[in-house]
Amino acid sequence: MAKITRRNFIKTTGAASAIGLAGFPAIASAMKHGGGKKVVIVGGGIGGATCARYVKMADAGVDVTLIEPKANYHTCFMSNEVLGGDRPIDSIKFGYDRLASEGITVVKDTVSAIDTNAKKVTTSGGKTFGYDRCVVAPGIDFKYDQIEGYDAKVANTVTHAWQAGPQTATLRKQLEGMKNGGTVVICPPPNPFRCPPGPYERASLIAKYLQEQKPKSKILILDAKGKFSKQGLFVQGWKKLYGYGTDKSLIDWVSAEQTDNGIASVDAGAMTVTTKFGDTHKADVLNVIPAQKAGKIAFTAGLTKGDWCPVDKSTFESTIAKGVHVIGDASIATKMPKSGYSANTQAKVCAAAIVAMLNGDEPGTPSWLNTCYSIVGKDYAMSVAAVYRLGKDAKGGQLITPVKGAGGLTPKDASPEHLRRELGYAHSWFNNITKDVFG
Amino acid sequence: MGTKLIRHALLAAGLACAASGAFAGGMASPSMLANTCAGCHGSTGNSNGPATPGIAGLSKGYFIAALLSYKYGDDEAAIEKVVAANPSVLDADVFEVLPRGKGTIMSRIAKGFEDAEIIAMADVFANERFVRHAQTTKSSLADKGAKLHEKHCEKCHEDGGRTSIDDVGILAGQWMPYLNNSLADYKDGTRKMVKKMTGKMKKLNAADLEALVQYYGSQKM
Ligand SMILES: Cc1cc2nc3c(=O)[nH]c(=O)nc-3n(C[C@H](O)[C@H](O)[C@H](O)COP(=O)(O)OP(=O)(O)OC[C@H]3O[C@@H](n4cnc5c(N)ncnc54)[C@H](O)[C@@H]3O)c2cc1C
């Protein structure tokens, strides 16, 4: 009689010989020989920094240079928790020391031009860098011309806070300074934009703060859209937590039908915002998130078609300029949302393709994943997830498409315990992805 | 050229079914698939916590059983089919998939992967080393937990719960909020235990379980 039931599910004979080879890129690295080849990465945000690390891990012989103007990057994710007073801003700040110690050349500068024929990148600091492959990951820029009275300068006081950093701190200070009974006006952008659930998570976490500290206050969302990401779950949470739908509600959402598709103008002096329909609202704290397009360098380098950059979906190589890849928010990744997790898995697909190409191999089959957590309140978070594969659209074109029957939202009937756990998973996601990106 | 040929030969020998770069359009490579998990489970499957578990160093059998459980729920016929289709990998006489509850984030994600992809990822994570992070624990409780573990759990969770041998999860150094969630799921029946573990668990009260979790969380090496 055996003392105990042994499980040992796996047959140890025959086909189990994959052990030892099926590793992460680091393990395969010694076998690669892209030695001396140059990869220059423009932008050290989520996409760019991930790509730098994963190229280096897959092939230590490749010479990787990352160009980024900021000494420190503030993640947009969890910046809404900063606004709600739930975490200090330094907890979303990351530097580039780890990347440098991994053998990546980090250059603090702004790329001003990319010569895709001569394969050369120029910076405003006057340096040039030749490349075999260039990765452009500049994130987003704003369409300031669409809102009268609003521009990059005004945004220093009437913030968008849609690129985390100084504006996040400013908006938090404004919320702290606001009187009990004040009105916070949030103006979300039209589609497509970075982080579709982001404005509504922001409203949620500001509501949480107001409820705790300034319960007579209100949040008014003047939307450019008629519906929004995870709307059912947000509304459910707002009803449960913030009296949504009652006359005591902390949050009011005004849809595109009532605003006539968003706001027309901002008067920063008077602290008013006027919708396209013509209603003017006075704010004590005003947060205006403009419509978006690819980061400026993508336009300068001629990588755009419309507002974003078309790419081959299996390599993220630009369909306009050979040898240049565009990843993250700036790229057209069809069904993938513009999110940090998307940028992170796109960067890995791109890195693997680049290493294959530099080694004279065919790029492999890609696979992507995205999970976006949204925090709604105390012990209350929810998520949307999808696994993405390369498919085809109706015309036979490439389509990054979610696997059918998989993914989706937190169930509507999720228990309080389930929602509490999702908050723990949201924080774990933050800790893990930031380490994966910045080392 | 020489090195390149060798590289391909190695890959072909090692990953008979997992398409390498050379077979574009086939299955994505194991690392391509496994790398997408990092956002939640950490680079190389080593989680930085607090609630999502580390999955590095999980035995291949445990990983496959867990993912199939998330993917197929209580559809036993579907799971039997997977076992039957992979006779060279899974031992039909002992392979067992225990229910893990529905609607969790993992049941949504696991459905996005083919069975063969799950098996390929299992190899990747089984070959990684599990890293134990420092967690705050009370030594008096951890000492009590150590004794309870030795008495009730060590037989299956060997080496103080450090290994995943015998297709059990890693307990030592696993994130404590995750262990608490697992134990809560066992308690309310969301997750099913192997029979003999059920017997052991019955003998323990809430304070005992807390001590056990403290013991596992206190192990850093
Ligand atoms: C409030 C909010 C909440 C969010 N929450 C989540 C979330 O929970 N989950 C999630 O997955 N995503 C979230 N996101 C989205 C996520 O932040 C973005 O999708 C992600 O940052 C995109 O990565 P990226 O690399 O494309 O761009 P970025 O991360 O913005 O990086 C671009 C970098 O390029 C640099 N750069 C630009 N131009 C140049 C140039 N010319 N030369 C050199 N460098 C340049 C910039 O300085 C910047 O560092 C959130 C966003 C917001 C605003």
Side-chain angles (χ1 to χ4, degrees), chain A residues 387-401:
Chain A
V387 175
Y388 294 88
R389 295 297 161 83
L390 191 57
K392 284 195 170 78
D393 64 21
K395 288 185 216 144
Q398 289 179 314
L399 192 71
I400 303 178
T401 179

Side-chain angles (χ1 to χ4, degrees), chain A residues 192-216:
Chain A
F193 67 102
R194 152 180 291 184
C195 194
Y200 314 95
E201 181 191 64
R202 175 170 290 181
S204 306
L205 288 173
I206 293 176
K208 174 173 175 282
Y209 165 69
L210 296 178
Q211 190 175 49
E212 285 161 3
Q213 310 271 336
K214 295 164 185 172
K216 285 192 241 157

Side-chain angles (χ1 to χ4, degrees), chain B residues 131-196:
Chain B
V131 177
R132 295 179 169 81
H133 294 262
Q135 297 182 70
T136 317
T137 50
K138 283 198 206 94
S139 59
S140 56
L141 277 178
D143 290 347
K144 176 184 166 190
K147 292 194 189 94
L148 288 168
H149 175 86
E150 192 53 41
K151 189 163 172 217
H152 299 289
C153 323
E154 173 69 20
K155 267 189 188 151
C156 301
H157 297 281
E158 287 176 36
D159 196 12
R162 276 182 188 76
T163 82
S164 186
I165 294 173
D166 285 335
D167 302 330
V168 298
I170 293 176
L171 305 181
Q174 187 56 280
W175 290 99
M176 295 197 293
Y178 171 74
L179 291 174
N180 281 322
N181 289 347
S182 293
L183 291 172
D185 286 348
Y186 284 136
K187 191 156 181 243
D188 71 14
T190 306
R191 205 172 147 179
K192 292 275 174 324
M193 283 181 262
V194 282
K195 265 213 194 82
K196 285 205 175 138

Side-chain angles (χ1 to χ4, degrees), chain A residues 10-81:
Chain A
I10 299 296
K11 297 225 170 132
T12 44
T13 49
S17 62
I19 305 284
L21 271 168
F24 282 94
I27 296 164
S29 185
M31 297 189 249
K32 297 270 165 66
H33 57 113
K37 295 271 169 58
K38 289 188 170 63
V39 172
V40 173
I41 299 177
V42 181
I46 304 309
T50 305
C51 196
R53 295 193 72 218
Y54 276 76
V55 167
K56 200 71 190 169
M57 267 192 264
D59 191 341
V62 176
D63 186 347
V64 181
T65 301
L66 179 80
I67 309 174
E68 161 66 46
K70 299 192 298 272
N72 291 299
Y73 177 91
H74 287 87
T75 60
C76 288
F77 25 90
M78 295 302 159
S79 70
N80 286 330
E81 273 203 336

Side-chain angles (χ1 to χ4, degrees), chain A residues 138-143 292-299 303-309 326 329-331 338:
Chain A
I140 52 162
D141 196 1
F142 300 97
K143 296 185 183 177
Q292 291 155 34
K293 58 186 177 184
K296 188 172 163 214
I297 186 67
F299 289 88
L303 299 170
T304 53
K305 187 177 165 200
D307 290 332
W308 311 99
C309 303
V326 186
D329 288 351
S331 69
K338 296 191 186 301

